Amino acid sequence: ATLTDAYEPLSRIIPISKNKLTPYRAVIIMRLVVLGLFFHYRITNPVDSAFGLWLTSVICEIWFGFSWILDQFPKWCPVNRETYVDRLIARYGDGEDSGLAPVDFFVSTVDPLKEPPLITANTVLSILAVDYPVEKISCYVSDDGAAMLTFESLAETAEFARRWVPFCKKFSIEPRTPEFYFSQKIDYLKDKIHPSFVKERRAMKRDYEEFKVRINALVAKAQKTPEEGWVMQDGTPWPGNNSRDHPGMIQVFLGETGARDYDGNELPRLVYVSREKRPGYQHHKKAGAMNALVRVSAVLTNAPYILNLDCDHYVNNSKAVREAMCFMMDPSVGRDVCYVQFPQRFDGIDRSDRYANRNVVFFDVNMKGLDGIQGPVYVGTGCCFYRQALYGYGPPSLPALPKSSACSFCCCCCPKKKVEKTEKEMHRDSRREDLESAIFNLREIDNYDEYERSMLISQMSFEKSFGQSSVFIESTLMENGGVPESVDPSTLIKEAIHVISCGYEEKTEWGKELGWIYGSVTEDILTGFKMHCRGWRSIYCMPIRPAFKGSAPINLSDRLHQVLRWALGSVEIFFSRHCPLWYGYGGGRLRWLQRLSYINTIVYPFTSVPLVAYCCLPAICLLTGKFIIPILSNAATIWFLGLFTSIILTSVLELRWSGIGIEDWWRNEQFWVIGGVSAHLFAVFQGILKMVIGLDTNFTVTSKAAEDGDFAELYVFKWTTVLIPPTTILVLNLVGVVAGFSDALNSGYESWGPLFGKVFFAMWVIMHLYPFLKGLMGRQNRTPTIVILWSVLLASVFSLLWVKIDPFITGAETVATGACSSIDC
């Protein structure tokens, strides 16, 4: 890096080529026009002989059109981004005297028997070994289940990290999580020139295997809880023996006062946290645990940036933190950035990605579109936050209020020009002056005794927002982070225990305006939405080497229950005060296309109701002999062909500018139907029951053993009630196809024309549900499910045909049987 690099931008926007984007936008407008003409035809040409079916289909189609608009227009201005890590180093330096900002990592876990400690340990090890100055990194692990197994495994992890971290940094290995590094099927000697590498790698692999055995021994011991409860090594009872009634616990394993690595170098700080829990208090699950980590980290290290990961998401790119800092620490970009979101990438998914676990369309298409407006939504993991944004503050430079409520695509997608200050901005400036005055008073806090100090903070009404901790409140006013000099280091742990007490959040703004927002099982959507409403923007960062990787459920039932939880969270937000349909209009800080994307996020589960009805229509039409469309005129044929053409063109052009494959797109389309007629449908009814009468419904999952071999988990069959609707729809359409052919064989040649339209409609449903059918059938002795499906259908049709022509009946018999020659006899 040269001196000139230090003054260059740390990132840049790479617009999508106009040659790709202009046709895409034109087709969207064309599809909108054709959609209007199509609906006009459908509404003005009812089918009197099947009025109920016609009306149902029209209502469904109008909803699908509305849903398409919500999904499509937020992708109007997609962008790509590029970072320059070398310029970041040139500007801020590297090593002990680096000017890089400190970062606090958050890792959350609950039940070590469901979230294996070895997976959490690998995540922690990958964090401790990131390519970033060690004194700038702290890792906080939240154990919301207060399990001694998690505590002991973390102690083992801290000890193993003393060997693992220097090995990673000495040989610059990737990824820096031992489980996945040693299981890679690649040439690990490529680009390695150090003569001792092979010897040290062999020794490290042996050390890791011994580490795994120790963790496995802890897991085996934890399978059966002693009657007297768990006892620690010093003979004292484990404080978390009752996971619902225990004190707060904090243990610092590594850091400034902890053990150094085996080369004598300092290690990043590693802190175990288990917040206090008592009966009668609402703990708010993951969101509550994350807010506890926000306060603990603010007291102990107070890094200006926070990066949160699920326990099964490890750091796959050791330079991921530097990638985020290219946005956060760039003065021309980072001032108004509340978070940098990385895409989720996964290991262990079958090659065909049967159940769309990779979510490629969402992460590689939708999120790029949002990045061109006000930024991507927060997806719960792999996200680097600006701490001040979590404290409810707005960005330093708020957007100007729009002159009118109308908003063109350009004003929704492009940066707004500065205008004269509005009355609201002047009020904000006055409030900021008061805040600066408060910061000055708190910097002089050493001049006050304890009583005066608490009085000062109370008078500024900070306790009403942040809670009763002067140390924590003082830390919130330090925009660049760091522990206040006025604080006695010996009291920090005691203060940290205080801020994770179960009653600390009572009568405060935590979960309402501060930190992770409560009120939904998908707290991530709510948290990001609140920040965007305050005027912040977010950034989507897609390094060439994925920043983080995780695991995903690959069998059908677990995948549907994961989707059910997400959809339920959206339904909860829909019925809450934070619904994007009516929340956050004051100040005009949330751009209209961004609002459309959030509306789509909370409305999509309701599409399940018309989708179920629409998927049943072809079977009903085949069974009753009626159809939802009248005989087509020439004009109507043009509208239908135009609609189908625009749908195909939109998809093709979207694939063109996004760069995703057609197989990923098709998997997304299939699972949209599968999830829509199962998990989303149950989420809607469960959400309504929960909101209206307070009934919380749970769906049981019954598991059957999987076979051994690659992706054995893919073939595990777990029966659950969520599977009933798609199974019913599938069987109904298969029966409908057979019945349709039966009716056509009896009715003569004139009925074959209408039959093909109905069969095409039914096959559309069956092909979308095909991965679901594969999941139901499991591994059928390696016989492809498509072969079985077509075999059943063709066998049924040929059987009907055989019965119809019946070559063994003679002419005399035919005359004798008369009208009984058909299969209806």
Side-chain angles (χ1 to χ4, degrees):
T2 64
L3 186 61
T4 308
D5 289 339
Y7 300 97
E8 293 289 331
L10 303 181
S11 65
R12 74 182 180 101
I13 294 176
I14 306 176
I16 306 294
S17 169
K18 288 185 178 180
N19 293 333
K20 296 180 179 179
L21 209 52
T22 302
Y24 174 69
R25 291 172 175 171
V27 169
I28 290 176
I29 298 300
M30 182 188 80
R31 183 171 172 182
L32 199 61
V33 173
V34 172
L35 205 59
L37 295 170
F38 171 79
F39 286 143
H40 177 266
Y41 170 79
R42 293 284 281 128
I43 293 171
T44 56
N45 290 271
V47 182
D48 295 330
S49 60
F51 187 81
L53 295 177
W54 167 82
L55 183 62
T56 303
S57 67
V58 169
I59 293 172
C60 293
E61 287 161 5
I62 291 173
W63 180 267
F64 295 151
F66 168 71
S67 179
W68 172 79
I69 291 172
L70 291 180
D71 178 67
Q72 203 68 49
F73 280 94
K75 294 183 278 192
W76 189 262
C77 298
V79 297
N80 290 315
R81 294 183 186 269
E82 188 175 63
T83 56
Y84 303 103
V85 175
D86 53 343
R87 295 178 184 176
L88 179 77
I89 296 171
R91 181 177 297 185
Y92 294 103
D94 205 3
E96 293 183 2
D97 299 326
S98 170
L100 293 172
V103 178
D104 289 338
F105 276 83
F106 291 175
V107 178
S108 57
T109 183
V110 181
D111 186 350
L113 298 180
K114 293 181 180 178
E115 300 165 329
L118 188 63
I119 291 178
T120 305
N122 272 272
T123 298
V124 171
L125 289 167
S126 70
I127 292 170
L128 298 178
V130 293
D131 184 7
Y132 207 73
V134 291
E135 68 278 4
K136 308 279 188 178
I137 292 290
S138 299
C139 177
Y140 293 83
V141 179
S142 168
D143 176 19
D144 222 30
M148 196 170 85
L149 172 57
T150 302
F151 180 86
E152 290 182 330
S153 64
L154 205 59
E156 290 284 355
T157 303
E159 180 61 29
F160 179 70
R162 297 175 63 201
R163 294 182 181 274
W164 175 250
V165 172
F167 171 76
C168 293
K169 295 188 174 181
K170 181 177 180 179
F171 299 110
S172 301
I173 68 165
E174 295 283 2
R176 297 187 178 182
T177 173
E179 183 67 28
F180 294 96
Y181 172 68
F182 289 123
S183 63
Q184 289 182 113
K185 296 178 181 179
I186 61 171
D187 180 12
Y188 63 84
L189 296 177
K190 186 179 180 181
D191 300 328
K192 296 293 183 287
I193 58 175
H194 203 287
S196 64
F197 173 68
V198 174
K199 181 180 178 180
E200 292 192 39
R201 184 185 186 277
R202 191 179 297 121
M204 181 54 62
K205 187 173 183 180
R206 183 181 64 250
D207 289 343
Y208 177 62
E209 288 170 350
E210 292 173 355
F211 167 72
K212 286 177 70 173
V213 170
R214 292 195 297 272
I215 295 294
N216 291 339
L218 292 174
V219 173
K221 185 182 75 171
Q223 297 299 316
K224 187 176 181 181
T225 306
E227 291 182 5
E228 65 278 8
W230 297 108
V231 178
M232 294 189 289
Q233 290 182 354
D234 60 1
T236 57
W238 171 246
N241 275 321
N242 186 344
S243 62
R244 298 182 180 180
D245 187 2
H246 65 84
M249 295 178 281
I250 296 176
Q251 176 67 49
V252 180
F253 285 108
L254 298 173
E256 295 178 0
T257 59
R260 291 177 175 262
D261 68 28
Y262 279 86
D263 291 345
N265 300 314
E266 184 182 335
L267 287 166
R269 187 183 298 239
L270 176 60
V271 184
Y272 169 88
V273 179
S274 183
R275 58 184 172 141
E276 181 186 21
K277 286 191 175 180
R278 303 295 182 192
Y281 287 90
Q282 178 60 263
H283 299 294
H284 302 290
K285 299 181 179 178
K286 181 183 176 181
M290 298 304 289
N291 285 337
L293 288 186
V294 171
R295 297 191 294 272
V296 167
S297 62
V299 170
L300 297 181
T301 50
N302 198 33
Y305 301 105
I306 293 169
L307 203 159
N308 86 289
L309 292 173
D310 288 343
C311 65
D312 60 347
H313 274 71
Y314 64 88
V315 181
N316 182 65
N317 182 346
S318 62
K319 289 183 169 53
V321 182
R322 296 176 187 264
E323 296 276 355
M325 291 303 111
C326 284
F327 300 107
M328 291 297 199
M329 299 188 69
D330 189 342
S332 62
V333 177
R335 294 188 64 204
D336 292 341
V337 174
C338 54
Y339 61 81
V340 175
Q341 178 66 62
F342 293 87
Q344 291 185 22
R345 303 298 189 218
F346 301 98
D347 286 313
I349 296 176
D350 56 300
R351 184 176 298 178
S352 65
D353 191 16
R354 182 188 292 179
Y355 305 123
N357 280 285
R358 292 192 181 96
N359 278 331
V360 174
V361 172
F362 175 75
F363 286 113
D364 290 26
V365 181
N366 296 20
M367 295 286 263
K368 285 183 181 180
L370 292 176
D371 201 16
I373 310 171
Q374 201 172 340
V377 297
Y378 168 45
V379 297
T381 183
C383 187
C384 184
F385 286 96
Y386 180 41
R387 186 184 284 269
Q388 290 290 311
L390 286 167
Y391 290 156
Y393 297 124
S397 55
L398 292 176
L401 291 172
K403 292 182 179 180
S404 68
S405 58
C407 186
S408 67
F409 291 129
C410 292
C411 78
C412 287
C413 303
C414 305
K416 298 179 181 179
K417 295 182 179 179
K418 292 284 183 181
V419 296
E420 293 185 5
K421 289 188 176 181
T422 63
E423 181 180 350
K424 199 169 187 81
E425 286 179 312
M426 293 174 67
H427 173 72
R428 174 69 186 193
D429 288 344
S430 173
R431 184 173 175 273
R432 189 167 289 281
E433 287 176 6
D434 293 341
L435 185 60
E436 289 173 356
S437 174
I439 293 172
F440 173 78
N441 288 333
L442 282 170
R443 282 174 180 166
E444 300 296 320
I445 211 161
D446 284 336
N447 299 327
Y448 301 107
D449 59 26
E450 194 65 32
Y451 174 75
E452 291 172 328
R453 179 174 171 161
S454 62
M455 284 296 293
L456 171 66
I457 293 173
S458 296
Q459 286 170 3
M460 292 187 291
S461 301
F462 282 123
E463 287 186 355
K464 293 181 180 179
S465 295
F466 295 109
Q468 298 182 357
S469 170
S470 58
V471 176
F472 172 71
I473 291 172
E474 193 174 351
S475 74
T476 66
L477 299 173
M478 302 181 70
E479 293 187 9
N480 295 321
V483 178
E485 296 179 359
S486 60
V487 177
D488 181 1
S490 63
T491 64
L492 288 180
I493 292 295
K494 181 180 178 182
E495 193 68 26
I497 291 289
H498 168 60
V499 298
I500 59 171
S501 59
C502 55
Y504 183 85
E505 294 185 356
E506 287 193 342
K507 298 180 181 179
T508 68
E509 295 297 320
W510 285 101
K512 301 171 187 174
E513 300 295 332
L514 309 182
W516 271 256
I517 306 302
Y518 304 149
S520 169
V521 294
T522 51
E523 70 289 326
D524 45 5
I525 299 294
L526 267 182
T527 303
F529 175 60
K530 292 279 283 190
M531 290 180 182
H532 284 135
C533 285
R534 295 188 190 108
W536 292 96
R537 72 154 294 125
S538 53
I539 297 286
Y540 196 48
C541 181
M542 296 181 67
I544 295 174
R545 179 180 179 87
F548 309 101
K549 280 191 173 183
S551 57
I554 64 171
N555 74 70
L556 178 61
S557 302
D558 288 346
R559 174 72 167 126
L560 287 177
H561 274 265
Q562 180 190 55
V563 173
L564 171 61
R565 193 182 73 85
W566 294 342
L568 177 60
S570 294
V571 175
E572 288 174 340
I573 296 172
F574 181 84
F575 289 111
S576 74
R577 73 182 186 93
H578 290 120
C579 178
L581 285 167
W582 50 73
Y583 182 85
Y585 284 94
R589 300 173 194 171
L590 186 68
R591 298 183 184 178
W592 283 100
L593 288 184
Q594 192 77 16
R595 183 178 295 280
L596 274 185
S597 73
Y598 274 112
I599 291 173
N600 185 47
T601 301
I602 58 101
V603 163
Y604 79 89
F606 295 94
T607 304
S608 60
V609 178
L611 186 61
V612 167
Y614 210 68
C615 287
C616 291
L617 284 177
I620 296 172
C621 290
L622 285 164
L623 292 169
T624 60
K626 298 177 181 178
F627 203 37
I628 58 175
I629 300 172
I631 298 174
L632 296 179
S633 62
N634 291 336
T637 303
I638 293 173
W639 301 142
F640 274 88
L641 289 176
L643 180 62
F644 285 121
T645 303
S646 65
I647 291 172
I648 294 169
L649 282 176
T650 305
S651 302
V652 169
L653 292 173
E654 193 170 277
L655 295 177
R656 185 168 172 247
W657 70 252
S658 65
I660 67 171
I662 191 169
E663 184 178 7
D664 292 319
W665 172 83
W666 175 237
R667 283 285 178 264
N668 180 77
E669 291 295 307
Q670 287 179 312
F671 199 77
W672 176 75
V673 175
I674 294 169
V677 299
S678 56
H680 297 173
L681 183 68
F682 277 78
V684 169
F685 288 109
Q686 187 176 353
I688 292 173
L689 288 174
K690 187 175 181 180
M691 293 298 151
V692 175
I693 61 176
L695 179 62
D696 199 357
T697 310
N698 292 313
F699 302 101
T700 57
V701 179
T702 306
S703 177
K704 293 184 180 179
E707 301 175 27
D708 294 331
D710 292 338
F711 306 113
E713 179 70 15
L714 183 66
Y715 304 102
V716 173
F717 181 74
K718 303 179 181 180
W719 175 252
T720 167
T721 48
V722 176
L723 301 177
I724 294 175
T727 305
T728 305
I729 290 171
L730 197 56
V731 170
L732 198 62
N733 277 277
L734 289 171
V735 170
V737 170
V738 175
F741 276 105
S742 171
D743 183 66
L745 288 168
N746 288 327
S747 303
Y749 293 109
E750 68 278 356
S751 63
W752 284 91
L755 172 68
F756 284 119
K758 300 173 188 177
V759 169
F760 174 81
F761 198 7
M763 292 307 297
W764 177 88
V765 175
I766 293 169
M767 292 311 296
H768 276 80
L769 291 176
Y770 173 64
F772 175 82
L773 180 61
K774 289 188 73 171
L776 285 182
M777 300 184 72
R779 181 179 289 174
Q780 300 293 324
N781 297 322
R782 303 190 182 278
T783 303
T785 307
I786 192 72
V787 173
I788 298 173
L789 174 64
W790 280 108
S791 298
V792 171
L793 280 175
L794 292 175
S796 302
V797 171
F798 280 118
S799 297
L800 290 169
L801 187 62
W802 185 269
V803 170
K804 175 66 178 176
I805 62 175
D806 203 347
F808 297 106
I809 295 182
T810 63
E813 289 174 319
T814 304
V815 173
T817 54
C820 291
S821 61
S822 75
I823 63 171
D824 291 333
C825 182

